[in-house]
Every structure is written in C-alpha cells, then in structure tokens.
Amino acid sequence: MTRYRMTPAPRLVLDRAKRESLDPIDRVAERYEHLTLENLRSRFAPPAEPATAAPEPAAGPEDSAAPEMPDTDRTRHMARVFSPDAIAEARELLGAGGKTDSKRDAATLARSSAALDRASRDGGWRSVPWAGPMEIADPFSGMGPQFANFQEVIAHVRQQWTLARHARCAGAARIDPILLVGTPGVGKSYFAAAIADRIGERLSIFSAGGAQDAMQLCGTDARWSNARTGIVFDLLAMGDSAAPILVIDELDKLSPESGGNRDTPINTLLDLFESDSARHYRDMSLQLEMDASRIIVVCTANERERISPPLLSRLTEFYIKAPSLEQRRLILGGYLAEFLVSHECPETLTLDEASAEAAVAAPDLDIRELLRMVRVGFASALANESDRVTLAPPQRGAAKRRIGFT
C-alpha cells in the first residue's frame, strides 16, 4: 500500500464569474484550493521587486482615493491601515528631511517615497481574511489529522475566527496573539506556516534570538542616511491584507532586562501585542503611523520561564507536545505534496517508502530534521538523475542541531 503519493493532486483555479456560479459548498472547496496554490506560489517563488526604478507619481491626500465602492461596503470587507492624513504628514517630513539633511542621499529618499506610494494604494485600505464576498467559514477544517498535537490551538483560533466573522465592521475584529511553547522540532513554525497557507495570507518571520534592537520590526531611525522600513510596515504596505501573519520565533531568547531600553524588541512587541497601541504603530524610518492591530501574531518559544512577564500577559499560551508516529507520517505526506507543487520533478520519480517509514519512526528525529532529509533526498535524486528518492538517516548528533523549524 502506497503511503506517500508522489504526484500532486490537480488544482483548479476558476475566474470570479465562474466562482460566483458555483454551489456554495463547491465555492468554498474551490476557494481552499485557490488559496493553497497562491500561497505556495508566493512562498516558493522569488518575491517581486517593487517598482522603485520608475515609481508612480507621489500620492498626496487628494489623489490617494480608496477603491470605488461605497463606504458601507468597504468597511464591511476591509480595514483602513494607512490614513491619507498620516501619509501626507510622512511625505511632508520626508520632503523637509531631503532639504535639510545632507546625509539622506537621493536613493534613500526615492526608496522612502516608493514605500509611501505602496502604503497609499487603495487609499490605505486593506482586506481582512474573515470578511468579504467570498467568506471562508472555517479555513481550519481538515487540519486535525496532520496537526493532532495542535488541537487546542486550532480550536482557539477557530473560535477567534468565528467571532471575527460576526463583527458588524470587519475592521473591528482581530485574532489575538498566541504563544506556542514546546521542545525544539515539534513543528511550531511549521504550524504557523500552515495557518498562513489556510487563510491565504503573507507570512514573515522575526527571529528574536540575538536581536538587540527593534529596527528590524519598526524600521531604522529616519535620521539615518540609509533608513529602511521594518517588517510590520512591509507586511501591510506591500500586501493586500490588513491581517498578514507575523511569526516571532524564539521569543524566549529576548532578555527580560532589555525592556529598560525604549528601542528594544520587547517594548516594540508590547505595543504590537496590545490592540490599542497597535492601532497607532509607527514605522521609525518614515515616521508613519499605521493600524497594525489586525496582524495575526504567532510566537514560538522553548522555555516560557525565560519570557518577559509583560509579554506573557499579552499572549494566549499553548504547550505543544511532540507529534505521534501517525502525525509524523501525515506531516511528511503534506510536505511532499507542497514540495512537488513547488518543484519540477520527473513523473517517474518515486519515494523509497522503506527509508521514509524508517525516518518517521525514528524516536529521536525531530520534524525539522525530517523535512531537511526530504530536501536532501530530492536534491540527491535529481543531481544523480535517479528515479528514487531515499531519505538517508542523519549523521550522528544531527537531530540536535537547532536549525530550520522550531
């Protein structure tokens, strides 16, 4: 009996007119396929470069109009992330800086202006995944078998999603930030990526380990000659959603004592985790205020005792156990399907199931090492023009290396 199918299931993406003619159940099913495929494309394809070489004309308050739809329809399906007034103020400060600060070269000013152009798209409005003409009632259905050790988390996120769908105004809802605690290799980051895949959202990862300042999150100071925007701004400005996913990896690696300095990641995360302060989140490179309150934050940690208490008080915690043997089989099967969608492989290529079964049955082999073995196995088979993918056992002590998924 074949456990792991090496041919990805065919996917059908319909245009909007055809989708609207579908039966509601078929429409939801097709929507899942569409989101999954688009997410895989965005995850594995090189990101498109922003058009900074020939940016669009600078948008001021008068020409940054929102999409042509009544305000009632817009607020039902979207949320305003960047206000025209805030963008106009940032442009004014940018222009003043360009005249008085010789350290800010033309390239930096052009980059900042292009960033403001991206923020002002659609009048600063962004869609929310839990509302709209093509609502997804429950994008988390079907996650149970593969993520049985995440059942408590799935149930919580599903409840939050249901509550958000019942909001009278889409912009009034949010998914509260969560913390996944567990030993290395239980699949915490893999689960976060699966959530993004299910709801079709952009995902970005901030590695807290070794972070000494907040610049990666909220941008470098505007007075710097090479000022650059932060992760939070980039997620909201470059995407079309008000609720992308931000993974804070290894939150326990942030020193609690670092909270005494205003420019540390802890203080920036405190602002982001609290809905009231997140509504007025500021990117330092542009001096631009934005509404980041709907970003879906997923934090991971190995030891909760090392996390700053103020951060813990703003997070809903879940302890994640190691996956069972059957769960590991399902994780491997799901990863194989993703790999085949994202790579061109010969149809004759098959998986050596004996080596795959031995890998998932190894008690000391964590999930990240298992997935690394898949990549190495495919790379070896393609390089040697072999028709069989073999999952070779890791070298002695390899399962202890802390790389990849946590």
Side-chain angles (χ1 to χ4, degrees):
M1 177 179 176
T2 301
R3 287 188 189 276
Y4 310 103
R5 184 175 61 183
M6 289 291 292
T7 303
R11 299 178 182 272
L12 177 64
V13 180
L14 305 178
D15 60 33
R16 182 175 294 275
K18 291 181 180 179
R19 280 202 301 268
E20 292 176 351
S21 66
L22 289 174
D23 174 89
I25 295 179
D26 291 336
R27 186 185 305 171
V28 172
E30 188 279 326
R31 180 64 168 168
Y32 286 165
E33 293 291 321
H34 173 70
L35 286 173
T36 301
L37 179 59
E38 290 302 310
N39 185 269
L40 286 170
R41 285 175 176 168
S42 64
R43 189 188 306 173
F44 292 104
E49 291 292 331
T52 54
E56 297 178 0
E62 69 283 351
D63 56 9
S64 58
E68 295 182 2
M69 65 172 73
D71 284 343
T72 54
D73 289 343
R74 186 182 300 122
T75 56
R76 189 177 300 122
H77 309 311
M78 307 180 80
R80 176 159 254 161
V81 173
F82 304 98
S83 75
D85 289 343
I87 292 176
E89 180 180 351
R91 288 190 187 280
E92 185 176 348
L93 291 173
L94 181 65
K99 295 176 183 177
T100 61
D101 190 350
S102 60
K103 292 183 179 179
R104 303 195 69 180
D105 57 24
T108 301
L109 292 173
R111 184 170 58 247
S112 299
S113 179
L116 290 173
D117 290 342
R118 291 193 294 272
S120 63
R121 285 185 300 107
D122 299 326
W125 291 86
R126 299 293 186 268
S127 64
V128 291
W130 47 77
M134 301 286 293
E135 290 183 358
I136 308 173
D138 183 8
F140 313 109
S141 63
M143 292 187 71
Q146 187 174 348
F147 294 101
N149 54 332
F150 287 86
Q151 285 306 294
E152 189 180 359
V153 190
I154 294 173
H156 171 78
V157 176
R158 179 180 282 121
Q159 290 175 351
Q160 295 262 303
W161 182 275
T162 302
L163 179 63
R165 290 186 64 237
H166 283 78
R168 293 184 182 276
C169 172
R174 77 188 298 244
I175 306 295
D176 293 334
I178 62 175
L179 169 64
L180 308 179
V181 181
T183 57
V186 297
K188 300 186 293 290
S189 295
Y190 185 67
F191 174 78
I195 291 290
D197 180 59
R198 288 282 172 157
I199 63 177
E201 292 299 327
R202 291 170 60 91
L203 178 144
S204 187
I205 299 177
F206 169 70
S207 180
Q212 299 298 320
D213 53 55
M215 292 188 297
Q216 190 178 352
L217 285 166
C218 61
T220 54
D221 194 295
R223 293 170 296 181
W224 288 28
S225 60
N226 60 343
R228 291 184 179 277
T229 54
I231 291 176
V232 175
F233 172 86
D234 291 342
L235 273 173
L236 295 170
M238 300 183 68
D240 297 320
S241 174
I245 293 183
L246 175 61
V247 176
I248 310 297
D249 199 26
E250 295 186 318
L251 184 64
D252 50 334
K253 296 296 179 64
L254 290 178
S255 171
E257 291 77 15
S258 66
N261 185 340
R262 178 63 195 169
D263 296 326
T264 61
I266 285 184
N267 286 308
T268 300
L269 291 176
L270 288 175
D271 289 341
L272 190 61
F273 293 170
E274 194 72 57
S275 60
D276 290 339
S277 55
R279 291 190 183 98
H280 306 283
Y281 196 85
R282 181 176 290 271
D283 185 88
M284 301 306 296
S285 73
L286 299 172
Q287 291 299 300
L288 174 66
E289 187 176 282
M290 71 198 84
D291 186 349
S293 63
R294 295 166 203 88
I295 290 180
I296 301 174
V297 179
V298 180
C299 302
T300 72
N302 299 330
E303 303 174 51
R304 72 174 302 277
E305 293 77 13
R306 298 180 58 185
I307 300 175
S308 170
L311 289 177
L312 277 176
S313 69
R314 290 161 172 80
L315 298 167
T316 303
E317 302 175 47
F318 299 94
Y319 180 76
I320 310 301
K321 298 180 180 179
S324 66
L325 176 62
E326 184 57 32
Q327 291 164 21
R328 290 155 70 91
R329 289 194 184 106
L330 291 168
I331 290 172
L332 176 57
Y335 189 72
L336 283 171
E338 289 187 0
F339 193 93
L340 291 169
V341 168
S342 61
H343 294 75
E344 294 183 2
C345 298
E347 294 183 0
T348 57
L349 194 62
T350 59
L351 176 68
D352 181 77
E353 294 196 18
S355 66
E357 190 62 17
V360 299
D364 59 344
L365 186 66
D366 59 35
I367 295 301
R368 59 188 172 188
E369 186 64 29
L370 175 62
L371 302 185
R372 187 193 71 85
M373 288 170 60
V374 173
R375 296 191 293 272
V376 171
F378 271 91
S380 177
L382 293 172
N384 297 322
E385 298 184 351
S386 172
D387 61 356
R388 184 173 294 272
V389 175
T390 301
L391 304 189
Q395 298 176 356
R396 184 183 300 274
K400 303 298 182 183
R401 290 197 302 266
R402 298 192 172 186
I403 58 175
F405 291 94
T406 60

